[in-house]
Amino acid sequence: MSQTFTRSTAISVAVDPVALITTECIAVTSAMRKHARWAHSSVSAILGGGGPAPSGTVFDYPRSPSPRDGVAGWRSPRSRGPAAGKKAAEADSAVAIRWGLRGKKGKSMQDNPLISAFAHLRSDLAGCRDIRSFDTPALLHPFLQVIRSSSTSAPITSLALVAITKFFAYNLISADSPRLSLAMQLLSSAITHCRFEASDSSADEIVLLRILKLMEGMISGPGGELLGDESVCEMMETGLSMCCQIRLSELLRRSAEMSMVAMCQVIFERLKHLEVEAGEDPGALEEETREDMRSVKMDPAKNGNNVTSPRLKSSEERSPSSLGRVSGDLPGTAAATAASGTEATSAPANGIDTESLRIEPHAPESPEAKPYSLPSIRELFRVLVDLLDPHDRQHTDNMRVMAMRILDVALEVAGPSITKHPSLSELARDHLCRFLFQLVRSDNMSILHESLRLTGTLLATCRGLLKLQQELFLSYLVACLHPRVEIPSELGIDPALYAGVPQAPKLVRASPSQSSSGRSTPVPVKDRQKLGMEGGSRKPDAREAMVESVGALARIPSFLVELFVNYDCEVDRSDLCEDMVGLLSRNAFPDSATWSTTNVPPLCLDALLGYVQFIADRLDAEPRREGYADVDLLRRQRALKKIIIRGASKFNENPKAGIAYLVSNGIIEEADDPLAVTRFLKGTTRVSKKQLGEYLSKRSHQQLLEAFLDLFEFNGKRVDEAIRELLESFRLPGEAPLIERIVTSFAEKYCATCTPEGIADKDAVYVLTYAIIMLNTDQHNPNVKTQNRMAYTDFAKNLRGVNGGKDFEPQYLQDIYDSIRTNEIILPDEHDNKHAFDYAWKELLLKTESAGSLTICDTNIFDADMFAATWKPVVATLSYVFMSASDDAVFSRVVTGFDQCASIAAKYSLTDALDHIIFCLSSISSLASEQTPNTSLNTEVQVNDHSVMVSELAVKFGRDFKAQLATVVLFRVVTGNEGVVRDGWKHIVRIWLNLFVNSLMSPPAATALEISPIPLQSPSQVVERGHKANENGILSAFTSYLSSYAADDPPEPSEEELESSLCTLDCISACFLDDIFVHVLDMPVDSIQALVLALLAYLPEQKSPVVIVVKPEVSLPSTNGPRPTTKGIVYDPSIVFILELCTILALRDDAAMAVIGKDVAESLQSVMRDAKNVHATVLSRTIFYLLNLLRASHHHSFLRPPVVLHAISSFDPSIQQQSATSILKGIALCLRESGSLRIEMTNSPDFWSILETLGAAKESAAMVFAIVEDVTASDSSAITADNYELAVSQLNEFASAGSIGAITEQKQDATARKGKSPKPAQRPEDEAVRRGARSIGIIYQFTGRVQNLIKQSQLERHEAWTAYWSPIFGALKQQCINPCREIRHQAFSSLQRSLVSPELTSIDHQEWTAIFGEVLFPLIVRLLKPEVYQSDPVGMGETRVQAATLLCKIFLHYLVMLSEWEGMLDLWLQILDIMDRLMNSGQGDNLEEAVPESLKNIILVMSSGGYLVPPSQKPANAKLWTETWRRLERFLPNLRRELFPDQAATPISLSPPLAQQAAPSSPPSPPPPPFSPSSRQSTPAATTATAGGE
């Protein structure tokens, strides 16, 4: 027994219990004595009946009376023997005589059993010490007699009921009371058979109220479990009778209903305990109580069938009132309700109803009844369900409402337990659902409300067994509630925001067109709506009630998941989950209030948000898969379902196309296989039955028709049964030839499978089938009058002689006729009447077994697929409500809904859903406008140390609260979910760009790029608002306007505009955009790709065509006016923002580079190709981004260093100079990468071309030199045969640029000549000199690499020497005449060391001898030029001396090797000519002293070495001797005498042989060029001529 109905603390009684009972006895008997009937009764009851009964006296109960027998079996107490009885009788008689208690004619007045029973009870209580040990039946006996007596009045009966109620309330009767079970049975029987004389209605109803109160206490009290099934049934029967009796007052009926509710709560609660007692086998209880179920029946009195009300009787009649049961009219069903009434019987003369006290001999003798169990619960459930029958006219709507309220409580208490018992579950699944689903179509609002509530409770507790029933109910609600009305457009709301709301549910199909054949049973539209065949239009209140019902179901956490798994994922079921979400979504729109009530939109929105809330709550739950269907299997089923629905839809429009579609998708194996085609058509419910009938009946489809008939089993069935089964599978076409074809095939099939006795052949079947179809139409067409319908005789007459020339058996035809008349053959798509509903319900029950039970889904494994199928209407509704709402509570709920939807989409990677959420929120935010915001009037307001950019966008956005809220929600949705976003990035990027160009957000940190922040557009004006005094009023505003107008500036922003801008800044700050940028870098690669593509999509289209630019070797002057500049091009910082963010993302890692690098590179190159139309800032940063990209992607094929460098070098020099810093920084970054990138870049001619162009500018020279120094000095691998000459050339340029230092040196010389000491100071030119000197040093270092380069070279030996040594000597030679002394001295030093380098010469070749003709000689010749001398008049003379000295030193250094060279004489003669020119240069004493001394040293060395000796000593060198002195005689005539005095007298002439030898045999060849290899084979004359020419 549940503790719900027991008090935690029993009420204690302050008086003696025995005295209390005695008082109650006296109260009853005193009231009886006041009644005329008992006015002369004995006073023994007052006196206590003559003392206590002897100790041996007991009350004898030979049997346990049946509750239906009442308490008529009561017997007076008897002694243990006859003598004792006799003595007791004598004692009683003596007392009566003593007190004069004799009646008329000597009769004793104590023989009234009602009063004497109280006397005996008092006598027995006299010796009682503990009332709880007193025999309970004995205690209640006198009161029960009063209750059952028809001779007592209502007040007396009421007193007896009050007394018994007190006994229970004061715990005088408790669970430990003796024989409590028997007492409870007796009490139940008494109060359910209560009889009393009617008086006034108020008194009568008081008795009934006390009976209700007592019954409620009995059921709920400690003895309630001891009641038997019969007792419980009688008590429930009594309560229902009071509830249904309309003659009773409304108060009493409602009180009875409340008592019934309370009692049913206890009774159905016991069902749970019975399950526990039954153990693990719930079926055991069914088996144990099967026999009891047959015997226990309830038949409450129906309204109008009870006895007549006492108020309708004449005043003279004194008829008793009764609650006794009256037999019902309908067997097996709840027949009527009971109420107080009067019987037509009069009381006996002595006032005692002896009939009620009669002992029936057939009463059972069991001591006590078995506690009530499943039989009484089942019977109560059955009676309550039967009261709902909408077609039973004896049941009023009030009765149905009452029954539904009680059933609702029963299901609330024990709904799940009901499903475990077949006897109860069958009632719920069949009758209860069938009645309810018809009641919900009622226009009576009370019926509708209660039926919806009860249905909701039924589905909430028992839906596991009601799979198809739930589908039917919800389908009806969807059909009724989902409007076929387009959502009205509202100003300011983009229709794209709510495009996902379905305009109609999936399950609703067009109403079938009615055929004119007459076989259908047309019903008016309103009737069809009531039958549920279509939703129809319901009243606004009805719609609201239905929405409340849907909302109650949707509040079950797993309800919509169960709909999705059990219906949407099953091929033959409706898409209920999608339809329900669509229904809630559509009705959440404000316009739904126009056809319902104003409560409907918020109710639907609440249910919709609850659905999202449940999914969000399950996000972090551990997935439970055990016992549930495989998710992948359900996905395949849904995909299959979509194909079948699509194929069936095509079939309904064009059967041939539908079959082809189904075959192509594998649903039907072969289009030419009739069995496969017909098996599908018969098995699916989605094919139009009308279309199917027409398709099968075509002449060309005869094989299909035969195959279709083969799917039926007609064996053992009458013709009408067989044709009924066939015609229920498709709709019979209306054309006679088509019908004939079907009937002919049916007759052949029927006769081929089974030909019953009495049927001749298929022709007989053919005619009989036609007759059955005609009979069905005749009997059930409402257009045919009843008197005109075909009788059996007419039917049989029509079939005479058609059975092979004979008649059919009369009984056979009679059976067919009766079957058709009572049970219409329902043609598909014509289910429009009650018979059709019953037929459809029967079909539903037949399908229940195959459909299986409904899966209860307490798991989150299906949430992803369910949300993927339903997010569109949810998000659309949230967006529309957000835009149209004005209440803060609504905003709060919608914001939470958006947040939860985004979390769900991110958790399950539903990118489409998250993208659409972003689209909706960005649209609402107004920041994602495709129209570029106007920034021309942007004004920067500076307040103290802070500044605010006031813009058109900031002001407008700051005034729009909804836009601000949407923006915050948007970025809260995006934050943390960046990896799931795909198409949504385009909206986010648009917002970023609009905010960025208006200075409302900072760009992402570009720490990886090592570049300054992106510059923004300058404001149109800057306004200072420091500590100026506040100027208020119209004069201040007017003054500001006039001053701005005079200056042609935009007016200063107002305080309101500034405040709006500050609101915008606060809102953007609350979005935490920096967190998103941080998260973006950690996204998966595919997510990064989506973001990059969205960014690149906002780049402006390229204006210049994509062509390959070939850089000319020589810069050509412009022939079309001045060179193009970026003047007039508007700077767009958004382009830089896009390119920079893309570059950062591409540089994240190699995986990102592999996926998005190509797209980013192409975009960067596209901007570079359009350089003439791009702002310098944009181009500069673009180049830097591209070079950064190159640094990280050089191992990929989409971006090659030569291509990038060529694109940069192809720019106009002015454009290169504008972007010099970015170009050089980018190149430097690339060169940091060791390996192939560094080598590939430095080997590119464009690389050196860029450096050459940028190195010429003072601003970029330092950066260029740092790059060149890094390439040439720090890494020998970077200098290769391909770039060697270019590197030397670039270094030479830096050395030449150092000539600017000559200016400083000459100024210092001038200062020194004036006697002033120069002030040491750092000058800009000093840095150029330093770079020049350093360049000379690097060039010299190259001498150590020449040998390796020659080895690596593919050139011939002599060609390689010339290729790698000549650039070094050429550069040093050039710098030896540099006006700057420091560089010149450095060059001379390096040149000298280079010329004596061991790697320079080799015995294998003689190319090194070109150092004289190509280096030293030209150097001295250039030094002799006046302009060179004038470049440094002070120091250039010394340089000439150094050059002459260097020439002599080098000659002496290589004298030994030169002596073996055949060109020795020519070289020596050229040296002498050079010395001659130096002596005669006019410089002064320096050269005049230096040249002779140098020549002296050479001659002495040559002489000592035996090279320059007189012919007498070495005739082979005679020519050398002669020519030497001949030349020296020109400018140093005394040198020979000074060095060789002994030879001074010898004439300088050639002997004849020598002269002949020296004479040329042919004319001399023209002089070769200085660097030509042929110079090594020149004749002395030619060499002399050459030297002289120089």
Side-chain angles (χ1 to χ4, degrees), residues 1000-1309:
L1000 295 173
M1001 64 168 279
S1002 302
T1007 54
L1009 292 178
E1010 302 179 12
I1011 194 172
S1012 61
I1014 302 173
L1016 294 170
Q1017 288 177 324
S1018 301
S1020 60
Q1021 62 175 336
V1022 179
V1023 178
E1024 291 281 353
R1025 290 194 181 180
H1027 297 283
K1028 295 192 304 181
N1030 292 329
E1031 298 179 359
N1032 299 320
I1034 189 171
L1035 181 61
S1036 171
F1038 184 68
T1039 303
S1040 173
Y1041 176 78
L1042 288 180
S1043 61
S1044 299
Y1045 180 79
D1048 198 20
D1049 292 331
E1052 291 187 13
S1054 64
E1055 291 295 330
E1056 189 273 337
E1057 291 174 335
L1058 180 60
E1059 184 64 28
S1060 297
S1061 299
L1062 290 173
C1063 289
T1064 298
L1065 286 174
D1066 292 340
C1067 175
I1068 301 305
S1069 175
C1071 295
F1072 301 103
L1073 299 181
D1074 292 339
D1075 294 344
I1076 296 179
F1077 291 130
V1078 172
H1079 296 161
V1080 159
L1081 292 176
D1082 297 328
M1083 292 194 305
V1085 176
D1086 54 343
S1087 302
I1088 291 181
Q1089 184 180 25
L1091 173 55
V1092 168
L1093 293 177
L1095 285 164
L1096 298 179
Y1098 285 103
L1099 287 176
E1101 293 185 3
Q1102 178 181 339
K1103 297 180 181 179
S1104 299
V1106 179
V1107 295
I1108 299 175
V1109 180
V1110 180
K1111 182 182 159 218
E1113 294 294 332
V1114 180
S1115 297
L1116 299 177
S1118 176
T1119 59
N1120 297 320
R1123 287 179 296 183
T1125 63
T1126 58
K1127 185 177 181 181
I1129 299 177
V1130 178
Y1131 170 58
D1132 186 357
S1134 64
I1135 298 177
V1136 184
F1137 178 93
I1138 293 170
L1139 297 177
E1140 182 169 301
L1141 183 53
C1142 288
T1143 305
I1144 293 173
L1145 295 173
L1147 293 175
R1148 189 192 73 169
D1149 52 33
D1150 193 61
M1153 182 64 69
V1155 174
I1156 65 175
K1158 183 177 180 181
D1159 294 325
V1160 178
E1162 289 179 352
S1163 298
L1164 293 171
Q1165 290 174 307
S1166 176
V1167 174
M1168 290 173 57
R1169 281 192 293 267
D1170 201 25
K1172 295 181 181 180
N1173 301 311
V1174 176
H1175 194 275
T1177 303
V1178 176
L1179 180 63
S1180 173
R1181 297 182 76 99
T1182 300
I1183 296 171
F1184 181 74
Y1185 301 148
L1186 185 62
L1187 290 170
N1188 271 272
L1189 205 65
L1190 176 64
R1191 174 176 61 87
S1193 65
H1194 64 276
H1195 54 282
H1196 293 283
S1197 61
F1198 58 79
L1199 194 61
R1200 303 310 309 157
V1203 177
V1204 176
L1205 294 173
H1206 180 75
I1208 298 174
S1209 67
S1210 300
F1211 292 154
D1212 189 274
S1214 62
I1215 296 179
Q1216 290 191 44
Q1217 291 294 346
Q1218 291 173 345
S1219 306
T1221 302
S1222 297
I1223 294 173
L1224 296 173
K1225 285 182 67 176
I1227 290 176
L1229 288 173
C1230 292
L1231 294 178
R1232 290 180 189 176
E1233 299 289 326
S1234 60
S1236 61
L1237 176 62
R1238 184 181 178 91
I1239 295 173
E1240 196 171 356
M1241 288 188 67
T1242 55
N1243 284 339
S1244 171
D1246 292 306
F1247 172 79
W1248 299 101
S1249 174
I1250 295 169
L1251 296 182
E1252 180 183 3
T1253 302
L1254 300 181
K1258 295 180 180 180
E1259 297 80 5
S1260 56
M1263 296 182 67
V1264 173
F1265 180 77
I1267 294 173
V1268 174
E1269 185 179 23
D1270 175 62
V1271 171
T1272 57
S1274 61
D1275 184 9
S1276 60
S1277 63
I1279 301 301
T1280 64
D1282 296 328
N1283 62 14
Y1284 171 75
E1285 187 175 354
L1286 296 171
V1288 174
S1289 175
Q1290 186 61 51
L1291 290 168
N1292 189 36
E1293 291 292 334
F1294 279 111
S1296 299
S1299 62
I1300 193 174
I1303 299 174
T1304 303
E1305 293 173 347
Q1306 292 174 13
K1307 287 181 180 179
Q1308 291 175 350
D1309 292 343

Side-chain angles (χ1 to χ4, degrees), residues 113-253:
L114 298 181
I115 294 180
S116 62
F118 284 103
H120 287 299
L121 175 60
R122 290 184 58 196
S123 175
D124 293 338
L125 289 173
C128 179
R129 297 292 179 265
D130 183 7
I131 194 60
R132 293 175 179 81
S133 62
F134 193 80
D135 185 61
T136 310
L139 176 63
L140 297 178
H141 170 69
F143 299 97
L144 300 183
Q145 280 194 320
V146 170
I147 292 171
R148 292 190 61 131
S149 174
S150 62
S151 58
T152 56
S153 63
I156 296 172
T157 305
S158 181
L159 287 174
L161 292 169
V162 169
I164 295 176
T165 303
K166 280 186 180 181
F167 298 162
F168 282 99
Y170 294 158
N171 206 26
L172 303 183
I173 299 176
S174 64
D176 300 328
S177 297
R179 296 205 295 174
L180 178 62
S181 175
L182 176 60
M184 295 298 290
Q185 309 296 331
L186 295 172
L187 178 57
S188 171
S189 177
I191 59 178
T192 55
H193 293 78
C194 176
R195 303 165 70 86
F196 56 89
E197 287 184 350
S199 54
D200 61 282
S201 60
S202 298
D204 295 346
E205 292 191 355
I206 289 175
V207 174
L208 300 182
L209 279 173
R210 296 195 183 281
I211 290 175
L212 287 172
K213 184 66 176 176
L214 182 55
M215 287 195 302
E216 185 177 345
M218 291 172 62
I219 293 290
S220 307
E225 291 183 347
L226 303 177
L227 291 169
D229 288 317
E230 289 284 348
S231 298
V232 170
C233 285
E234 288 190 344
M235 293 169 71
M236 294 299 100
E237 189 178 306
T238 301
L240 285 174
S241 298
M242 294 186 195
C243 292
C244 300
Q245 180 55 262
I246 61 174
R247 293 185 178 87
L248 300 179
S249 66
E250 180 71 14
L251 176 62
L252 179 58
R253 284 187 280 116

Side-chain angles (χ1 to χ4, degrees), residues 833-1085:
N833 54 13
K834 178 182 180 298
H835 297 292
F837 181 86
D838 293 338
Y839 165 76
W841 187 260
K842 183 177 68 174
E843 290 293 307
L844 181 144
L845 294 179
L846 292 175
K847 295 177 183 177
T848 300
E849 295 299 327
S850 60
S853 60
L854 185 138
T855 303
I856 304 298
C857 300
D858 187 16
T859 180
N860 61 357
I861 62 175
F862 308 112
D863 287 353
D865 295 280
M866 177 180 66
F867 191 74
T870 57
W871 64 263
K872 289 183 180 179
V874 175
V875 175
T877 303
L878 294 179
S879 303
Y880 192 95
V881 173
F882 191 98
M883 289 293 289
S884 59
S886 58
D887 187 80
D888 289 345
V890 176
F891 280 127
S892 176
R893 291 293 305 276
V894 172
V895 166
T896 303
F898 270 124
D899 197 23
Q900 291 171 342
C901 287
S903 300
I904 297 167
K907 173 73 173 181
Y908 298 122
S909 300
L910 303 176
T911 58
D912 291 345
L914 188 58
D915 288 341
H916 193 73
I917 292 171
I918 292 172
F919 161 71
C920 294
L921 291 173
S922 60
S923 299
I924 300 171
S925 73
S926 73
L927 293 177
S929 173
E930 294 295 333
Q931 185 177 2
T932 304
N934 181 16
T935 59
S936 60
L937 299 179
N938 286 11
T939 302
E940 183 178 350
V941 179
Q942 295 182 348
V943 181
N944 299 332
D945 297 333
H946 303 281
S947 64
V948 178
M949 186 69 73
V950 180
S951 62
E952 179 183 341
L953 183 141
V955 172
K956 181 180 178 182
F957 183 77
R959 294 169 176 169
D960 192 342
F961 169 73
K962 286 184 180 179
Q964 296 176 46
L965 181 60
T967 304
V968 173
V969 176
L970 168 63
F971 288 106
R972 188 170 76 177
V973 160
V974 175
T975 303
N977 301 326
E978 297 86 355
V980 189
V981 182
R982 291 296 182 271
D983 292 341
W985 283 120
K986 62 184 179 183
H987 310 293
I988 299 173
V989 169
R990 182 72 263 173
I991 293 176
W992 284 347
L993 297 179
N994 290 338
L995 293 176
F996 178 70
V997 298
N998 285 279
S999 304
L1000 295 173
M1001 64 168 279
S1002 302
T1007 54
L1009 292 178
E1010 302 179 12
I1011 194 172
S1012 61
I1014 302 173
L1016 294 170
Q1017 288 177 324
S1018 301
S1020 60
Q1021 62 175 336
V1022 179
V1023 178
E1024 291 281 353
R1025 290 194 181 180
H1027 297 283
K1028 295 192 304 181
N1030 292 329
E1031 298 179 359
N1032 299 320
I1034 189 171
L1035 181 61
S1036 171
F1038 184 68
T1039 303
S1040 173
Y1041 176 78
L1042 288 180
S1043 61
S1044 299
Y1045 180 79
D1048 198 20
D1049 292 331
E1052 291 187 13
S1054 64
E1055 291 295 330
E1056 189 273 337
E1057 291 174 335
L1058 180 60
E1059 184 64 28
S1060 297
S1061 299
L1062 290 173
C1063 289
T1064 298
L1065 286 174
D1066 292 340
C1067 175
I1068 301 305
S1069 175
C1071 295
F1072 301 103
L1073 299 181
D1074 292 339
D1075 294 344
I1076 296 179
F1077 291 130
V1078 172
H1079 296 161
V1080 159
L1081 292 176
D1082 297 328
M1083 292 194 305
V1085 176

Side-chain angles (χ1 to χ4, degrees), residues 387-405:
L387 285 174
L388 304 184
D389 186 357
H391 302 292
D392 191 336
R393 296 182 179 179
Q394 292 183 340
H395 300 168
T396 64
D397 285 345
N398 289 336
M399 294 167 60
R400 295 188 182 98
V401 170
M402 173 272 301
M404 285 189 283
R405 288 173 180 167

